[in-house]
Amino acid sequence: MNLDSRTFRTVLNLFFRPGKLTRDFVYGKRVGFLPPFTLFVASVFFLFTYYSLLVGPTYFAAKHYTKQELLNEVRAELADAQKMLSVSQQKLQALGQTSETERNAQTTRELLSAKSEVETDRARVVQTEERLARIQALPEGKITATGDPFGISFIYKGEDLLGNGSRDILFEINAVAASITAETGSAKEPEGVHLARKSVLILSQDNHKATFWDKSAQLILLFAPSGFQVETPWPALNERVNPNLKDPKAFVKKFAASAHSFAILIVPASLPFICLLLAWRRDTKLYDHVVFTLYASAFLVLVFIGFTILAHWIAWADLLDYLFFVCVIHLFFHLKHAYALRYTTAFGLTAAFGLFFAPFAILLFFSSVVFLTAI
């Protein structure tokens, strides 16, 4: 049987009969199928080759909105802004009922803070009403504007109609700073406000002028201009790691170029949590968990490749829910049939892994990649 037919049969079973594929391989029925490690490495190689050759700043489709969708979004925001204004006005009214003789330094600061909140909330309502009026003046149907793949911004003639542009975010940062300043009675801005403003300006740069990695390097330089320094119990390791962390820009460039080389680490990062999740199963061995993890990881990579291809025509904002649903359903049936579990047990294990173990596995994976890149 040639490689093409083996690959096709393995991928087909991985997508539609993952539990049987895993059990057959564990029990020695391997003729006509690719080994899990081979499939995983090949899928990772294909993913990064595809990204290197085809995916660029303009590859992903942008999320577009109709006039009615924009109106629904902004009307909901306006209702929230009006509710916030009503609450802050009630708070100010309650504080204003105290007489001058009853007020002390604390209540005076609270009164000033409440006045600041009312002014900010009123400005937010006015700003949202202006945005609503601009949208109402737009032509019907789809709007020709510059969106982003995740539906975060939708810029029309230099104005973000969704209210998530740098100007709107800076407004919220300034509002928080004004509230803290009024509450503390200090004329000095809170620490971190200046860095927050600069971060917004860095992230709002045009993607054609600054890539994701360029922005990441600028953010690291902003918060750690002298780089980082780690201290481990091994002096030789410290001497090797720390020089690479002193230049954040060079480190980010190295990370971007070599991160795919460590993709295999997703397996050892996930394996301990799979073992912990199924520690109560005395009839399974470490080898069973390794095969399961390799096949599950290969599926994640392959399905991500598929959704990446779709994202050239359909915005990620419209695909993410389906991607999450596909991954969860596949994990459920993979666990159920690979370990011969009941439906309720498989559901509980899927929920436990997704809610508790998966975030730690992802954190462990990225921490390992960062560490190995610095060596």
Side-chain angles (χ1 to χ4, degrees):
M1 186 175 289
N2 59 41
L3 180 62
D4 290 341
S5 60
R6 289 174 63 203
T7 303
F8 177 76
R9 178 177 290 186
T10 306
V11 172
L12 193 65
N13 278 270
L14 178 62
F15 272 72
F16 298 104
R17 304 178 75 185
K20 185 179 184 304
L21 178 66
T22 302
R23 290 174 68 85
D24 284 350
F25 191 87
V26 169
Y27 293 143
K29 299 177 182 179
R30 303 169 186 176
V31 177
F33 295 99
L34 287 180
F37 182 79
T38 303
L39 180 64
F40 175 67
V41 172
S43 59
V44 169
F45 175 79
F46 182 78
L47 172 65
F48 285 99
T49 302
Y50 186 85
Y51 263 77
S52 301
L53 297 178
L54 298 176
V55 177
T58 60
Y59 173 85
F60 293 111
K63 169 71 174 175
H64 289 281
Y65 293 86
T66 63
K67 180 179 178 178
Q68 189 57 49
E69 289 172 335
L70 291 170
L71 286 172
N72 293 340
E73 289 273 350
V74 180
R75 281 169 180 161
E77 289 179 26
L78 181 58
D80 291 338
Q82 289 171 336
K83 186 176 180 180
M84 291 173 65
L85 176 60
S86 176
V87 170
S88 59
Q89 285 175 332
Q90 290 174 8
K91 181 181 176 182
L92 177 60
Q93 186 178 5
L95 289 170
Q97 290 176 353
T98 57
S99 62
E100 294 285 345
T101 55
E102 294 175 334
R103 290 178 189 167
N104 53 31
Q106 177 66 25
T107 54
T108 301
R109 284 197 299 270
E110 290 177 357
L111 186 62
L112 290 172
S113 176
K115 287 180 179 178
S116 175
E117 285 182 23
V118 169
E119 291 173 2
T120 299
D121 291 342
R122 186 176 288 118
R124 186 182 290 110
V125 169
V126 170
Q127 188 172 292
T128 309
E129 287 174 339
E130 291 174 351
R131 189 150 45 89
L132 179 61
R134 284 193 294 273
I135 293 173
Q136 287 172 333
L138 294 174
E140 297 296 332
K142 279 196 172 183
I143 311 300
T144 304
T146 304
D148 73 278
F150 296 98
I152 298 172
S153 63
F154 197 61
I155 300 171
Y156 179 79
K157 294 184 178 180
E159 181 72 25
D160 192 336
L161 299 178
L162 292 175
N164 295 323
S166 57
R167 192 190 74 171
D168 303 282
I169 299 173
L170 288 172
F171 171 83
E172 297 297 336
I173 292 173
N174 293 334
V176 172
S179 177
I180 295 174
T181 301
E183 191 172 341
T184 58
S186 172
K188 187 179 179 182
E189 276 193 336
E191 292 183 11
V193 171
H194 177 66
L195 292 177
R197 290 197 188 105
K198 278 200 166 185
S199 300
V200 171
L201 295 176
I202 289 172
L203 292 171
S204 61
Q205 292 178 93
D206 191 335
N207 288 333
H208 297 283
K209 297 178 181 177
T211 65
F212 169 80
W213 299 111
D214 294 331
K215 294 177 184 179
S216 300
Q218 291 176 42
L219 285 174
I220 295 173
L221 282 169
L222 177 64
F223 289 93
S226 301
F228 300 96
Q229 186 170 349
V230 296
E231 291 294 335
T232 69
W234 304 280
L237 183 61
N238 296 338
E239 292 177 6
R240 181 162 183 174
V241 170
N242 286 323
N244 293 324
L245 296 177
K246 286 184 178 179
D247 185 355
K249 193 171 182 179
F251 175 77
V252 168
K253 187 176 180 180
K254 183 180 177 183
F255 180 87
S258 62
H260 66 278
S261 305
F262 303 115
I264 189 64
L265 292 176
I266 195 172
V267 175
S270 305
L271 185 58
F273 299 102
I274 295 294
C275 294
L276 184 61
L277 198 66
L278 292 152
W280 54 278
R281 289 292 299 263
R282 301 301 180 187
D283 58 335
T284 58
K285 301 176 182 178
L286 178 62
Y287 178 74
D288 304 346
H289 302 319
V290 171
V291 173
F292 174 87
T293 305
L294 282 167
Y295 274 134
S297 301
F299 171 80
L300 289 177
V301 175
L302 290 172
V303 80
F304 185 75
I305 292 170
F307 274 83
T308 299
I309 294 171
L310 289 175
H312 184 60
W313 298 280
I314 306 172
W316 273 115
D318 298 322
L319 291 174
L320 286 177
D321 290 342
Y322 295 102
L323 176 61
F324 176 78
F325 178 78
V326 167
C327 291
V328 170
I329 293 299
H330 187 272
L331 178 61
F332 169 79
F333 283 104
H334 197 177
L335 280 168
K336 183 191 181 307
H337 295 295
Y339 293 99
L341 303 173
R342 294 180 179 179
Y343 279 99
T344 52
T345 306
F347 177 81
L349 293 179
T350 302
F353 184 81
L355 294 174
F356 302 108
F357 295 139
F360 287 104
I362 293 170
L363 179 62
L364 181 61
F365 168 69
F366 279 105
S367 300
S368 302
V369 172
V370 169
F371 180 75
L372 290 174
T373 303
I375 293 178

